[in-house]
Structures are given as structure tokens and as C-alpha cells.
Amino acid sequence: MNIDDLAKGIIAGERRALARAITLVESGRADHRAAAAELLAKLPTDLQALRIGLSGTPGVGKSTFIESFGMMLTAQGMRVAVLAVDPSSARSGGSILGDKTRMDRLSREPRAFIRPSPSQTHLGGVARRSREAVRLCEAAGFDVVLIETVGVGQSETVVAEMSDAFVLLLAPAGGDELQGVKRGIMEIADLIVINKADGDLKSTAARTRADYAGALRLLRKRPQDPEGFPRATAVSAMEEDGLEETWAALQELTDWRRAQGFWDHTRAAQARYWFEQDVKQRLLAQLETPQAKDDLARLSDAVAEGARDPAEAAAEFVSGLRAD
Amino acid sequence: MNIDDLAKGIIAGERRALARAITLVESGRADHRAAAAELLAKLPTDLQALRIGLSGTPGVGKSTFIESFGMMLTAQGMRVAVLAVDPSSARSGGSILGDKTRMDRLSREPRAFIRPSPSQTHLGGVARRSREAVRLCEAAGFDVVLIETVGVGQSETVVAEMSDAFVLLLAPAGGDELQGVKRGIMEIADLIVINKADGDLKSTAARTRADYAGALRLLRKRPQDPEGFPRATAVSAMEEDGLEETWAALQELTDWRRAQGFWDHTRAAQARYWFEQDVKQRLLAQLETPQAKDDLARLSDAVAEGARDPAEAAAEFVSGLRAD
């Protein structure tokens, strides 16, 4: 593989080159890592897509939303890439976005690029790979990069830390139903989109939207939120209703953040965050060997039973690591 | 210092022995650490206090609440210890609960024990020291241990992970005022107590209570929450009004958790958590040397400016650490 040719292909917006480059950054092989680093160094850094993180539990209509929302953007002339971050695939070997037929129209749209989540990588690797895939899409000139996650474990944080705006997709529901919304997610959502605002559910969706709008106003205010944000909208992805309002809200938010300096500030802070995360992950990788895992499990059981003190067991474990 | 005598004094409930033992576990000196470990090993592990975490921003009336609440409990014959967790003192050298005169009555009450936060320790040390102080209070036969935090940085998480129940104290406020409630705090509160429900603020407090009760019902449901929790109550610590209802709510919650097995399960999970945290903290301590900090700051700046790639800079840093 010629790295110069690959870089030129990406810059020219060739889909095949982009796909090959993402496969390269996904690889854990040492020679592939070196080639990926060389490739990334050859790409321009001045192109910025709007990076939109998107989360929602299964059944909320995420694929339908991405398809309808993506089609609306491409119809306006924009180029849209869809990536998936799925740390759960590290355990299950599964994959989200794997079935492109769920997004039949968008996958055939020339201005769109859909990349399923690879399986069998660990969480730190998932984050690094996804960040690099986003950079490749930006270098390829995409206007919008949608980064989808199923919301397992820490994946929303991972996605939020590589996004300019974060969208949480919810289904209409009564006030006391909780739809599996996870700890902390309300803190990072810039926009809550209630999907399925159609047919019998239309009025429930409107009420759900109002409930969340009220709760968010009460519980949250951050410097990077302009007046009126975090906002909640109601859409029907199926009937393609409310999508333009949702896009307008995202534009209003990100235009304000650009004008106020939060955009650049957040991107710089995200870069620092990933640098520090990568450093820590490399240090903590010492805990991932089979021997270390066995020792940790044994000591953790003793601590949980009250037979050992946490601090004293930790001291024993770490001095054992250093002696190796 | 004779460790056997100290252990006997603690078990006999002698305040002076308890105070000396807490000073010992607070020390960072190697010989003191060894003596502290020896002491902890001599103490019984079967006595369990109700550990109540308590957070609230300055001005909310936390000292008044602790004094009134503590006096109510001691009047019922209970022994109450009050500890403070204050990671911010690591930077500022300040101390919360430092001024015992803020709790004039409680500090003179024989059934109460108040311990200010020590200054000048780092966050991991604060957590370890606090856990050990809680254990000492339990061995000394206290019925309730109140663990206060000012809510700076990660201190609520630190306190929640060593508490059986977590109380967030708030002031009455209009729906759109946010009182500096921090990210994630709503996720860990078991009980929200609106203080200052007296005089002109009484009706505002009732409305604030209802607002939070509604928002919490909408946004949160956890397996360890019985029907009706997380709950919000309104109190006047000054007029000693609503305190019994607050105590009844805490008892209802913790009785249910005991009966359902969540109490033991949570304590075992907390022990595992602290073991893992201690292990990680010891590994990450490599980043705290002056040389490491200089290198990290330089690389982080380069990454924020876009001059270096996060993953590549992290790889360089960690290989530098190993070469040392």
C-alpha cells in the first residue's frame, strides 16, 4: 500500500481510499500502526466537519433517524459520514450499523458514507480508532460526521469527547418510564430528540418533549450552553417531520459556540483529554495481562469478603507488579 | 504509642483514643502507615454504623443542618460521628468543619464526635484516610457517621462510594436557579433536602421540593431505589422542623436496602471499588513526579495546538517513562 497515494485519494474524496484508510487505522498490527501514523501526518488539519455524537437505546428508531436526517442533509448538498462507536463489540464480537440494509437509501446515496463498527477491539482502542476515523472523514471533505453509539458502558463519554454537539434520541413515554437512560447522559446531551412523534404517539411525544425540556432547564446550566439550550425537539423520522427544526437547533448551537470561542476551546480540550487518556491507558495496560487479572480477582474477592483491607491489598499487588 | 492500648481504647469508645487513631491514619509517614495497618487489623469488623454522605454548596446551611440533625439523633440516644472529606484542602490548605464553633451545641454533646478535615493531602490520600476514619468510628460503636463534603471536584463521588445513603442539601430557589449543583450529583443523591423552609422562604422551599421530586422521578430509576425514592424533603434546620421526616426517610430507605440485600452488596462493591482505585492510583502516581509533569504539560500543549497527534504523543511519553 502506497501511503502517498492513499493520502491523495482521501483528499480527493475517493470513497474507496477512505474505506481502506479506516481499515488501516482500525488495525492493531505494529506495521499498520506505523503506516497509519504516517498517513495521518500527511493529511490536512484545517478541514473541520460538524461532528455530531448520537446516542439512543435500541428500539428508539436510531437507524431510521440517521437515514432520514442524513438524506435531508445530502439533499441540501452536504456530504455526510456515519461512523459507529461500539465498545460492547469488544465483548460480544457484535457490531452496530453492521446491517447497512437498515439504511437502504442513505447507503446508496453518493454524498453519504456509512462505516459499521469493527468488532473485537478493546475500549481504549475503540476510542483511538474512532478519533482517527473522524479525522480521515474530515480530511476527505465531509461536512457532517455522525458518530453513533448504542450507549453501552462508557461509550457516550467516549463519543461526547470527540463531538462538537451531542444528540440523545428518546422514544415518547409517560413521565415515569425511564427508557434505560443511563447515569450522566443528561449531563452531556446538547439536544434531546423525541422520535416517533407520529400517529397514536404524537401527543405523548409532545408531552415527553415538554417534560424533558423542563427537567433540563431545572437541572443543568453550563457555560457552553447558549440561552435555550439544552433543547428538546420532537420528530418523526419515519414521516420526516421535525428534522429541519432539529438541524436548525444544531446549527444555532454550534454557530453560537463558534462565535463565542467554545468550538476551538472544546476541540483543544478534547485533544488534551485524549492525550491524557492515552497515557493513562498505556500505564493501566499493565493490569490487563492474564497474570495480573488473576491476582486482581483473587485480592478483590478477599477485599469484598472483608478478609483484606483495600489499601493494604493494593499495596501488595503493586509491589508484586514492580518485582516482575 | 502502644497499638494494643489504642485498639482497646477505641473499642471502649474513648474519644481521646479515637482522635489519636484518626491522627495516625491521616499521617503519610511510613512508620505511621505501618502502625495504622496494625491498628486496623486489631479492630472488629462486625460493627456497622449507618454511613450518611452529605453534600451541599456553601451558604445552604450545612453546619446548621448537621448540628440540628445530630442533636436530634443524640437526643434519641444515638452516638453520632461527623467527618469531613475535603479534597480541595490539598490545594488550598483550608479545612471544612475547621471551626467547631459553627456547631457549638453538637461539639459539646457527649454522644457526638466532630472531626475537621485535615489539610495538605492529595485526593487519593483523602479517600483512603476518610475510609479508615469511618472504620475507626464504626469500631468505636458510633450508630451514625455523617460524612460531609463541600462538593469540590470529585469529592461527592468519593463520599458516595463510602456511604450507605447520600443526602444533597439545597437552598430554596426558583425553578431556573441552579445553585451550583454539579454534574452527576443528581445521579447519586438518595435524598434531596431543601433547607431554610422557614419564614419568607417557606413556600419557595415547598415549591423547590416539589420541582426536584418531579425531576428526579422523571430522570432516574435505579435497582437500589425503593418505591418513592429518590425522595425530596423540606426542612428548617434553624427551627428544627422536618428533621424527623428526613430521618424517617433515611431509615425507610436503608431498612429496605438491608432487607433486599442491597446494603451488603453495596458495601462489598465499595470495597472492591476502593481496592481497584488504590491500585490505579499507585500506578498513575508515576505521572506525579516533577519531571513527568513537565513532559506532560509540554506534550499536552503541542497536542492542543494540533502540532502533535494525541496517540503518538502518548506513546512517546510512556516509552520515555519506561526508559527512565
Side-chain angles (χ1 to χ4, degrees):
Chain A
M1 180 165 5
N2 185 303
I3 296 296
D4 273 325
D5 289 348
L6 197 54
K8 279 177 198 153
I10 292 166
I11 293 165
E14 291 167 16
R15 302 163 64 95
R16 180 190 292 257
L18 177 59
R20 283 183 63 199
I22 294 180
T23 302
L24 184 65
V25 303
E26 284 172 354
S27 171
R29 265 176 51 183
D31 57 333
H32 288 171
R33 288 302 309 138
E38 189 188 338
L39 172 64
L40 289 165
K42 286 184 194 297
L43 295 176
T45 55
D46 56 338
L47 290 170
Q48 291 192 332
L50 172 56
R51 306 172 182 174
I52 304 174
L54 179 74
S55 178
T57 44
V60 74
K62 206 156 40 178
S63 302
T64 313
F65 176 81
I66 293 173
E67 171 144 287
S68 295
F69 194 69
M71 289 302 288
M72 179 194 67
L73 297 177
T74 56
Q76 293 180 17
M78 279 177 265
R79 295 180 64 215
V80 177
V82 183
L83 305 172
V85 171
D86 182 14
S88 69
S89 66
R91 286 190 302 275
S92 67
S95 165
I96 58 174
L97 279 177
D99 183 8
K100 282 198 194 182
T101 58
R102 292 187 304 149
M103 298 183 195
D104 188 39
R105 287 183 299 149
L106 195 62
S107 63
R108 286 183 283 107
E109 163 59 48
R111 291 201 189 90
F113 177 86
I114 302 179
R115 180 73 180 199
S117 175
S119 52
Q120 308 293 1
T121 46
H122 61 91
L123 180 55
V126 167
R128 191 214 16 92
R129 171 190 62 68
S130 302
R131 273 148 43 209
E132 292 177 356
V134 169
R135 270 201 62 198
L136 294 172
C137 292
E138 288 191 318
F142 281 88
D143 301 293
V144 173
V145 180
L146 273 172
I147 313 159
E148 177 194 4
T149 179
V150 281
V152 177
Q154 293 298 304
S155 67
E156 274 110 349
T157 305
V158 166
V159 170
E161 285 289 349
M162 60 182 75
S163 301
D164 303 310
F166 194 86
V167 175
L168 175 63
L169 203 65
L170 294 176
D176 282 341
E177 291 177 49
L178 274 141
Q179 310 183 47
V181 175
K182 286 212 330 301
R183 177 173 172 138
I185 181 73
M186 285 298 161
E187 301 294 334
I188 58 174
D190 293 304
L191 189 65
I192 291 190
V193 176
I194 314 295
N195 191 21
K196 302 189 180 178
D198 44 48
D200 290 348
L201 288 171
K202 193 153 186 174
S203 63
T204 309
R207 204 166 50 242
T208 305
R209 193 208 67 75
D211 286 349
Y212 277 96
L216 285 168
R217 265 197 302 276
L218 180 66
L219 295 180
R220 211 188 76 180
K221 184 71 190 167
R222 308 180 306 185
Q224 68 270 40
D225 293 337
E227 193 62 35
F229 283 88
R231 192 176 293 179
T233 63
V235 308
S236 166
M238 204 175 64
E239 297 183 352
E240 302 182 3
D241 190 25
L243 299 173
E244 306 216 346
E245 184 196 344
T246 299
W247 175 238
L250 279 169
Q251 285 185 295
E252 181 186 335
L253 174 69
T254 51
D255 285 351
W256 184 88
R257 286 188 180 163
R258 275 183 205 272
Q260 300 291 321
F262 285 111
W263 177 287
D264 288 339
H265 181 268
T266 300
R267 285 214 171 186
Q270 287 175 343
R272 287 185 195 273
Y273 172 85
W274 287 117
F275 167 63
E276 286 160 19
Q277 289 298 109
D278 278 8
V279 165
K280 288 177 184 171
Q281 183 205 324
R282 283 165 186 270
L283 288 178
L284 296 177
Q286 299 171 71
L287 305 179
E288 299 298 326
T289 66
Q291 176 69 53
K293 283 179 170 176
D294 279 356
D295 292 347
L296 281 171
R298 183 175 44 76
L299 286 167
S300 183
D301 287 346
V303 162
E305 288 158 14
R308 296 289 296 269
D309 175 76
E312 176 251 331
E316 175 187 308
F317 173 80
V318 173
S319 55
L321 263 191
R322 284 181 186 147
D324 285 349
Chain B
M1 178 163 11
N2 184 303
I3 296 297
D4 273 324
D5 290 347
L6 197 54
K8 279 176 199 151
I10 292 166
I11 293 165
E14 291 167 15
R15 301 162 65 94
R16 181 190 291 259
L18 177 60
R20 284 185 62 200
I22 294 180
T23 302
L24 184 65
V25 303
E26 283 172 356
S27 170
R29 263 175 52 183
D31 57 333
H32 288 172
R33 289 301 309 138
E38 189 188 340
L39 172 65
L40 289 165
K42 286 186 196 294
L43 295 175
T45 55
D46 55 338
L47 289 171
Q48 291 191 331
L50 172 55
R51 306 173 182 173
I52 304 175
L54 179 74
S55 177
T57 43
V60 75
K62 207 155 40 179
S63 302
T64 313
F65 176 80
I66 292 173
E67 170 144 287
S68 295
F69 194 68
M71 289 302 288
M72 178 193 68
L73 297 177
T74 56
Q76 294 179 18
M78 277 176 268
R79 295 180 62 215
V80 178
V82 183
L83 305 173
V85 172
D86 182 15
S88 69
S89 66
R91 287 190 301 276
S92 66
S95 165
I96 58 175
L97 280 177
D99 184 8
K100 281 197 193 183
T101 58
R102 291 187 306 148
M103 299 183 195
D104 189 39
R105 287 183 300 147
L106 195 62
S107 63
R108 287 184 282 108
E109 161 60 49
R111 292 202 189 88
F113 177 87
I114 301 180
R115 180 75 181 196
S117 175
S119 53
Q120 308 294 1
T121 48
H122 62 89
L123 180 54
V126 167
R128 188 208 25 86
R129 171 190 61 69
S130 304
R131 273 146 44 208
E132 291 176 355
V134 170
R135 269 201 64 199
L136 294 172
C137 292
E138 289 191 318
F142 281 88
D143 301 293
V144 173
V145 180
L146 272 172
I147 312 158
E148 177 193 4
T149 178
V150 281
V152 176
Q154 293 298 302
S155 67
E156 274 110 350
T157 305
V158 166
V159 171
E161 286 288 349
M162 61 181 75
S163 301
D164 302 310
F166 193 86
V167 174
L168 175 64
L169 203 65
L170 295 176
D176 280 343
E177 291 177 51
L178 275 140
Q179 308 182 46
V181 175
K182 287 213 329 303
R183 177 173 174 137
I185 181 73
M186 285 296 160
E187 301 294 332
I188 59 175
D190 293 305
L191 189 64
I192 290 191
V193 176
I194 314 296
N195 192 21
K196 303 189 180 177
D198 43 49
D200 291 347
L201 287 171
K202 194 154 184 172
S203 64
T204 309
R207 204 167 49 244
T208 305
R209 193 208 67 75
D211 286 349
Y212 277 96
L216 285 168
R217 265 197 302 278
L218 181 65
L219 294 180
R220 211 187 77 180
K221 184 71 192 166
R222 310 179 304 184
Q224 67 270 40
D225 293 337
E227 193 62 35
F229 284 88
R231 192 176 292 179
T233 64
V235 308
S236 166
M238 204 176 63
E239 299 183 352
E240 303 183 3
D241 190 25
L243 298 173
E244 305 217 346
E245 183 197 343
T246 299
W247 175 238
L250 279 170
Q251 284 185 298
E252 181 187 334
L253 174 70
T254 52
D255 285 352
W256 185 87
R257 285 186 181 165
R258 276 184 205 272
Q260 301 291 320
F262 285 111
W263 176 288
D264 288 339
H265 181 267
T266 299
R267 287 215 169 184
Q270 287 175 344
R272 287 184 194 273
Y273 172 84
W274 287 117
F275 167 63
E276 287 160 20
Q277 289 298 110
D278 278 8
V279 165
K280 288 177 184 170
Q281 184 204 324
R282 282 164 185 271
L283 288 178
L284 296 177
Q286 298 171 71
L287 305 180
E288 299 299 325
T289 65
Q291 175 68 54
K293 282 179 170 176
D294 280 356
D295 291 347
L296 280 171
R298 183 175 44 77
L299 285 167
S300 184
D301 287 346
V303 162
E305 287 159 14
R308 298 287 297 268
D309 176 75
E312 176 252 330
E316 176 187 307
F317 173 80
V318 173
S319 56
L321 263 191
R322 284 180 186 147
D324 285 347

